[in-house]
Amino acid sequence: MELTSSALVYLVAAVAALALLATVLFWPRLAHHRPHHVLGRIGLLSLTQLAVLAVCGLIVNNSYGFYSSWHDLLQPDGSQLALGPAGAGGKAGPPTGDALVRPTEEGGLNTVSDLPQGRPEEVGRVDSIQVRGKESGLSDQMFIYLPPEYFNPKYSRERFPVLLTLAGYPGPSLHLLNEMHTPQTAWDLQRTGRMAPTVLVMARPTVAAPRNTECVDVPGGPATETWFAKDVPTALRSAYRVSRSAASWGVLGYSTGGSCALRLALRDPGSYGSAAALHADYQAATDWSTGDLFGGNQQLAQSYDLAWRLHNLPVPKSSLLIVSTRTEDNYAATQQFLASVTPVTQAHPDLKVDSLFLPDGGHSFETWRRELPAALEWISDHLQPAPDREPRG
């Protein structure tokens, strides 16, 4: 039974109800001061409280996605897994010890009921995969959408551009399917000619659950930036026909995922050539969810301040889209960031920054879903066609 399954929640809730009923029924019999009566009362109370806490914990975890599987819960250190590859045609291959990608049943893909129905060569396909990182030592579950063209023999030698999409904190990668409808929206845009055939990768920034690492390399801790900037592209290129050029790779995210998208594009332009950020922040947060991300190193912390970076370090070749609403809490901070980068873009034409604002909307899935189609169209226009092809077999 999966950690995130509704059946597990119902089972534990039933245990809690039975424990409560047993407490009511047996309490009179245990209302004495003999040791076994006292121990009986303690046992009933403990069982009831533990069961209720377990139900609450499961509900919170299912809502926020701190842990996506039993493995995630029991081995939170990002230990490496033995993974198997996905073949060039997009089908799972036999697992091998050193493979970086393998298919998995984790993540809850079976709970998504509104994916396009049909053959892969007609509507594409969404798979759940487990990815392992060599450099960071991290591993995580994510989803990958392969467009219909990926399965068309006509494109058998073509490599495809890639869009990494990131959920917010502490949401699971599943939110990109059942809340954001990312592959569903991309399919609609691609079939109507508003988006080029693109491989979509759907991941979460919380790869060291439950900590929010803000996609930075934490000194002495999780190397989350290395995971996204180096390990994820390396793993996907080893298993799928995707471009090896950074200009054909982009990253899009909402909330914390949007903040990560901007950092990856500006700090790692050799991995991602463009980014679209929905309701992002422009500095790495320091709060209860993050702890001290920089070990007291102010110089390191400053390097993750995007405005400071653009004014004080070499300006990368990149294209950015800032998306938000005029009623968002950080609207003033967004305007300040855009004003600060205007002189930078004027002096460095290789850096392009666009913005899109809705008149209203909050920090919510309802708003992000309204913004997603335009953001996908924009980033598709900025993903260059893959310049490389598969060698003839």
Side-chain angles (χ1 to χ4, degrees), residues 28 68 73 76 88 104 119 121 124 140 173 207 218 249 286 306 318 365 379 386:
S68 61
L73 174 65
T104 179
R119 297 181 302 172
E121 56 269 29
D140 203 15
S173 53
V207 294
V218 181
W249 283 64
T286 300
L306 300 184
S318 187
F365 287 114
I379 206 161

Side-chain angles (χ1 to χ4, degrees), residues 11-328:
L11 176 61
V12 178
V15 171
L18 290 173
L20 178 60
L21 180 62
T23 301
V24 173
L25 292 176
F26 291 104
W27 196 263
R29 302 183 184 181
L30 300 173
H32 301 284
H33 297 292
R34 294 178 180 177
H36 66 278
H37 291 125
V38 174
L39 291 175
R41 293 198 298 271
I42 292 175
L44 286 173
L45 289 174
S46 299
L47 177 61
T48 303
Q49 291 179 356
L50 288 173
V52 171
L53 287 173
V55 172
C56 294
L58 288 170
I59 292 174
V60 170
N61 185 67
N62 288 357
S63 298
Y64 293 101
F66 289 105
Y67 303 100
S68 61
S69 66
W70 289 109
H71 180 276
D72 201 6
L73 174 65
L74 300 175
Q75 299 188 39
D77 58 349
S79 56
Q80 295 183 355
L81 302 175
L83 307 176
K91 299 181 179 179
T96 59
D98 59 351
L100 303 178
V101 177
R102 71 166 174 87
T104 179
E105 295 182 356
E106 295 178 1
L109 182 60
N110 60 327
T111 66
V112 183
S113 58
D114 61 343
L115 291 173
Q117 298 299 308
R119 297 181 302 172
E121 56 269 29
E122 296 174 344
V123 299
R125 193 179 73 196
V126 177
D127 292 330
S128 178
I129 57 175
Q130 191 83 21
V131 178
R132 175 173 65 92
K134 284 186 174 180
E135 293 199 34
S136 68
L138 296 168
S139 62
D140 203 15
Q141 179 273 335
M142 55 188 65
F143 300 103
I144 186 167
Y145 167 73
L146 303 171
E149 289 79 2
Y150 193 90
F151 302 94
N152 188 331
K154 178 181 176 182
Y155 300 92
S156 61
R157 294 185 57 226
E158 299 297 323
R159 295 185 182 272
F160 290 82
V162 178
L163 176 60
L164 171 67
T165 60
L166 297 175
Y169 172 85
S173 53
L174 187 64
H175 279 176
L176 289 156
L177 283 81
N178 62 8
E179 298 289 351
M180 289 295 288
H181 303 154
T182 306
Q184 299 92 319
T185 304
W187 155 244
D188 186 60
L189 293 174
Q190 291 181 31
R191 71 181 180 84
T192 55
R194 291 176 289 165
M195 183 177 181
T198 304
V199 170
L200 267 64
V201 181
M202 291 152 277
R204 59 175 183 167
T206 318
V207 294
R211 187 179 187 183
N212 178 13
T213 58
E214 290 277 346
C215 297
V216 310
D217 281 353
V218 181
T224 319
E225 181 179 1
T226 297
W227 161 253
F228 283 118
K230 296 181 180 180
D231 287 339
V232 171
T234 297
L236 295 176
R237 285 169 179 149
S238 74
Y240 297 97
R241 298 196 321 274
V242 294
S243 176
R244 291 179 169 83
S245 169
S248 303
W249 283 64
V251 55
L252 177 152
Y254 62 86
S255 191
T256 298
S259 306
C260 290
L262 294 178
R263 292 191 195 103
L264 289 169
L266 291 179
R267 290 179 54 86
D268 302 282
S271 299
Y272 301 97
S274 57
L278 282 57
H279 299 236
D281 291 319
Y282 310 100
Q283 299 179 9
T286 300
D287 56 25
W288 64 268
S289 69
T290 64
D292 184 1
L293 290 174
F294 306 107
N297 186 332
Q298 293 303 311
Q299 185 177 1
L300 180 61
Q302 198 171 44
S303 72
Y304 283 94
D305 181 326
L306 300 184
W308 181 92
R309 185 178 189 87
L310 288 173
H311 282 276
N312 294 276
L313 296 176
V315 176
K317 181 179 181 180
S318 187
S319 296
L320 308 178
L321 174 66
I322 308 295
V323 184
S324 193
T325 68
R326 302 187 188 280
T327 55
E328 175 64 279

